[in-house]
């Protein structure tokens, strides 16, 4: 009888372990889904904040230019339409991920796209003195590349929204072990509030083992450092 009791005890123990393993797998799957949706929410914030800031700046410029130079106003409206279409395309891609169970990134961006961000910034009336970005290698992991892209995007958005003279500097410093991005511009009234953009950027950077520092001395300065 003791042998029989021992057999059933072992059988029950095995079943409990199987149930625990199944629950652990389920918990990990649910956690992965939460992490993915949090990432998508950050992506959505970056897309909306950057493109809406650009559209507002362009619309203001077109309104002032309309009376003196209708052609400039017409060209600016074309840029607004192009910017809006690109933002809508990116948002649709992210929303398609939310509808699917599969984890995928339809809007993977890399360091080669940073040049386009800088060009877009100039078109919106932002004067950005940038150096060193041509030294960033394209052989980095996709996650590092997309993080660098989103960091630059957020820094440009902050300049566009808060810099009183719409002028700033962006510097990239590359070594064998790390990549550093330094942003500086005059302080605006709203930059005492960290905002969700800086919070999301800090989360991205820390997720890759990097660091981020914000200084509000004579200028508003953000320094981001990522390992290679």
């Amino acid at each position: 009888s003791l042998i029989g009791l021992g057999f059933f005890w072992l059988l029950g123990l095995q079943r409990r372990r199987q149930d625990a393993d199944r629950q652990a797998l389920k918990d990990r799957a649910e956690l992965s889904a939460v992490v993915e949706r949090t990432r998508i929410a950050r992506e959505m914030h970056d897309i909306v904040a950057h493109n809406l800031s650009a559209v507002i700046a362009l619309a203001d410029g077109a309104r002032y230019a309309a009376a003196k130079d209708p052609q400039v106003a017409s060209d600016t409206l074309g840029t607004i339409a192009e910017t809006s279409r690109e933002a809508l395309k990116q948002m649709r891609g992210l929303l398609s991920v939310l509808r699917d169970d599969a984890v995928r990134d339809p809007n993977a961006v890399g360091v080669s796209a940073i040049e386009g961000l800088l060009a877009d910034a100039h078109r919106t009336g932002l004067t950005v003195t940038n150096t060193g970005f041509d030294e960033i290698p394209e052989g980095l992991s996709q996650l590092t590349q997309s993080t660098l892209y989103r960091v630059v995007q957020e820094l440009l958005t902050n300049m566009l929204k808060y810099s009183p003279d719409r002028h700033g500097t962006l510097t990239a410093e590359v070594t064998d072990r790390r990549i550093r991005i330094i942003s500086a511009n005059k302080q605006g009234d709203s930059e005492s509030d960290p905002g969700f953009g800086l919070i999301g950027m800090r989360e991205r950077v820390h997720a890759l083992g990097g660091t981020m520092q914000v200084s509000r001395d004579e200028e508003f300065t953000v320094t981001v450092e990522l390992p290679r």
Side-chain angles (χ1 to χ4, degrees), residues 24-38:
L25 287 172
K26 181 180 178 181
D27 291 343
R28 283 197 294 270
E30 291 177 353
L31 179 60
S32 297
V34 171
V35 170
E36 175 67 6
R37 277 155 178 75
T38 301

Side-chain angles (χ1 to χ4, degrees), residues 29-185:
E30 291 177 353
L31 179 60
S32 297
V34 171
V35 170
E36 175 67 6
R37 277 155 178 75
T38 301
R39 184 191 66 81
I40 291 171
R42 287 200 299 263
E43 295 280 345
M44 186 69 74
H45 170 273
D46 291 346
I47 292 169
V48 172
H50 178 76
N51 287 287
L52 278 183
S53 296
V55 166
I56 290 170
L58 287 166
D60 287 341
R63 183 178 61 184
Y64 291 123
K68 295 182 179 180
D69 195 335
Q71 184 59 47
V72 171
S74 176
D75 293 343
T76 303
L77 289 174
T79 304
I80 289 175
E82 181 182 347
T83 301
S84 301
R85 279 193 294 269
E86 179 61 26
L88 183 60
K89 176 183 176 182
Q90 294 183 39
M91 289 176 65
R92 282 174 173 168
L94 284 176
L95 291 175
S96 72
V97 175
L98 289 175
R99 288 193 294 267
D100 294 341
D101 292 331
V103 175
R104 55 191 175 90
D105 185 0
N107 296 303
V109 287
V111 295
S112 61
I114 292 178
E115 183 178 348
L117 280 178
L118 296 170
D120 289 343
H122 284 293
R123 282 200 296 269
T124 61
L126 184 65
T127 302
V128 184
T129 303
N130 63 89
T131 56
F133 284 90
D134 55 344
E135 298 178 8
I136 299 178
E138 296 188 11
L140 301 170
S141 70
Q142 181 56 54
L143 183 56
T144 299
Q145 290 196 51
S146 62
T147 299
L148 285 169
Y149 177 93
R150 294 302 182 192
V151 163
V152 172
Q153 185 180 53
E154 179 60 30
L155 294 173
L156 291 172
T157 300
N158 282 345
M159 288 183 191
L160 189 61
K161 290 170 65 176
Y162 301 129
S163 177
D165 58 358
R166 288 190 176 177
H167 182 275
T169 62
L170 269 177
T171 304
E173 299 176 353
V174 182
T175 70
D176 293 338
R177 303 185 65 179
R178 53 97 176 136
I179 298 173
R180 178 184 292 161
I181 306 294
I182 305 170
S183 165
N185 58 269

